[in-house]
Amino acid sequence: MSECFIGLMSGTSLDGVDGVLVDFTAAGAGALPMRVIGHEWLPFDEPLRQELLALNSPGHDQLHRAALAGNALARLYARLVAQLLKHCNVPGSDVRAIGAHGQTVRHRPGAFDGTGYTVQVNQPALLAELTHIDVVADFRSRDVAAGGQGAPLVPAFHQALLAREGYVVGVLNLGGIANLTLLGAHGDGSVTGFDCGPANVLLDGWHQRHRGGAYDAAGAWAASGHVQPDLLARMLSEPYFALPPPKSTGRDLFNQAWLDGHLAVGAPPAAADVQATLAELTACSIAADVQRHASAVRDLWLCGGGAFNADLRARLQRRLPGVTLRSTEAIGLPPTQVEATAFAWLARAFVHEQTGNLVSVTGARGPRRLGAWYPSK
Ligand SMILES: Nc1ncnc2c1ncn2[C@@H]1O[C@H](COP(=O)(O)OP(=O)(O)O)[C@@H](O)[C@H]1O
Ligand SMILES: [Mg+2]
């Protein structure tokens, strides 16, 4: 049976969908224990992006709207799968399963009734119908049901990729949210992983509001501004930053309203100065987490779209002078492919009846098999 899997990831940045086709029987670039045969990215069209963004906060007739957004997302996922298979010259029948993350619109594990929920808009049945490939979806709910955060789920994959005896290493994913995996920081085999806070989500939003365009390319606008120490200190007083792991977050907390609340105090700074301060907030909160949880770390691998933000990288480097920061490209996996590959890996774990969560990361009561199965026939 084939060991080819597709991973589809659309994260909090709401930029679009990354998809990879991965062969787990072959060795890849560098020392990678898998071969990424191909990668494709498709942007959200503006109406879908706006609707997914709107579904992050309470609004009118959301069950109906979320169902239709799920259909639209499944069609986009299917289009990406078709494109990926075509460019890789691989027939769909060679793919064992697709791991389709869906779009997180609410993430409140442990809240309200003590169990809480995590909601990914998705329509895996339609994806199976359109692609004729089996689909694994809803990776997070089982971990939440077991008392966990349901996030981050990528640390198990980072461990499989990078853990070495006597080696303390970190992986920092700079998506909409920043999540950090620390391997070996508390002895061999130990894994810590959690969401630090915002990576790009506030930077993107502020840039879109004042400059248009999806994001601040290379962080050039942020680099032109001056960090406002009072604003930075106010934002850093957010209680989430001081919480011990396990913890995870999303747009539920870090959104434009959160930023506006902090800006409403005191004289409004120039827009570029706010952007600089937001970049510093990302760097500062991450650096504090690295120092608090893994002061022995010497290598920090960067992935997610924020790895291309030169200004953000420079700010991080200034705050972590003893740490070597490098893109995951150097280990054979470009930054845009890491998360999607992790969901191909998690789909494979499901198919092989293996558990996918790490209790040291999510805080779940025990290891669980993650996902739900949508057969193609
Ligand atoms: N060249 C670049 N310069 C600065 N930021 C970038 C660049 N390319 C991508 N990004 C940032 O990365 C984000 C997308 O990262 P991604 O890993 O896809 O996040 P998510 O998983 O949340 O969707 C963009 O929204 C943008 O903020
Ligand atoms: Mg993305």
Side-chain angles (χ1 to χ4, degrees):
M1 261 238 213
S2 154
E3 285 294 305
C4 283
F5 287 80
I6 286 175
L8 300 175
M9 182 62 195
S10 44
T12 33
S13 289
L14 282 171
D15 56 326
V17 185
D18 285 290
V20 288
L21 175 64
V22 188
D23 182 356
F24 286 95
T25 59
L32 224 57
M34 67 212 49
R35 190 165 79 89
V36 179
I37 303 170
H39 167 243
E40 299 282 334
W41 176 80
L42 283 177
F44 291 131
D45 61 40
E46 198 49 27
L48 178 58
R49 199 185 82 82
Q50 287 298 342
E51 183 65 342
L52 291 170
L53 182 62
L55 287 166
N56 276 269
S57 32
H60 175 67
D61 205 7
Q62 290 197 317
L63 285 175
H64 169 76
R65 287 167 48 205
L68 290 182
N71 288 350
L73 187 65
R75 287 191 197 98
L76 183 64
Y77 279 180
R79 196 147 64 77
L80 189 144
V81 167
Q83 200 166 301
L84 187 60
L85 293 173
K86 183 163 172 251
H87 290 167
C88 295
N89 200 20
V90 168
S93 54
D94 279 7
V95 179
R96 187 82 171 269
I98 297 169
H101 177 268
Q103 190 66 43
T104 300
V105 290
R106 301 293 162 88
H107 186 68
R108 298 298 304 277
F112 312 119
D113 63 351
T115 301
Y117 54 73
T118 180
V119 179
Q120 283 76 45
V121 164
N122 204 353
Q123 182 41 285
L126 180 57
L127 182 59
E129 181 68 24
L130 293 173
T131 59
H132 311 286
I133 300 172
D134 297 335
V135 176
V136 186
D138 192 17
F139 288 92
R140 301 191 189 273
S141 289
R142 184 60 196 271
D143 187 80
V144 171
Q149 290 287 308
L153 296 181
V154 287
F157 172 67
H158 296 156
Q159 181 186 36
L161 216 58
L162 283 165
R164 308 272 181 282
E165 210 182 313
Y167 180 42
V168 184
V169 61
V171 185
L172 177 63
N173 178 40
L174 296 166
I177 295 296
N179 45 266
L180 181 64
T181 303
L182 297 165
L183 302 168
H186 307 289
D188 282 344
S190 79
V191 186
T192 310
F194 55 90
D195 290 346
C196 304
N200 295 304
V201 65
L202 300 173
L203 287 166
D204 287 351
W206 190 252
H207 187 268
Q208 285 156 16
R209 191 193 286 184
H210 289 273
R211 312 261 293 187
Y215 58 80
D216 180 11
W221 190 41
S224 76
H226 299 282
V227 172
Q228 303 295 298
D230 291 354
L231 175 61
L232 180 62
R234 276 202 303 280
M235 293 195 292
L236 282 170
S237 72
E238 161 60 49
Y240 180 83
F241 293 122
L243 280 179
K247 62 176 179 173
S248 58
T249 189
R251 285 183 183 267
D252 308 67
L253 173 59
F254 294 108
N255 51 40
Q256 289 300 303
W258 181 89
L259 173 59
D260 288 340
H262 287 293
L263 288 172
V265 185
D273 292 350
V274 173
Q275 189 76 352
T277 310
L278 288 172
E280 199 62 28
L281 173 71
T282 295
C284 186
S285 52
I286 292 167
D289 279 334
V290 171
Q291 278 149 358
R292 202 177 304 151
H293 298 284
S295 52
V297 75
R298 289 292 162 266
D299 285 307
L300 190 57
W301 297 102
L302 304 181
C303 59
F308 302 110
N309 185 326
D311 171 70
L312 186 56
R313 283 178 70 152
R315 290 178 195 277
L316 259 175
Q317 189 68 78
R318 278 200 292 277
R319 289 186 175 267
L320 294 170
V323 180
T324 305
L325 304 180
R326 272 173 298 185
S327 152
T328 53
E329 183 97 49
I331 47 167
L333 203 51
T336 50
Q337 299 179 13
V338 178
E339 276 224 296
T341 306
F343 282 91
W345 187 85
L346 284 164
R348 180 174 181 267
F350 178 91
V351 166
H352 287 275
E353 301 188 8
Q354 294 162 355
T355 58
N357 60 340
L358 291 175
V359 296
S360 67
V361 172
T362 67
R365 281 184 287 275
R368 295 288 185 270
R369 220 175 136 199
L370 305 180
W373 183 247
Y374 291 79
S376 59
K377 298 198 252 304

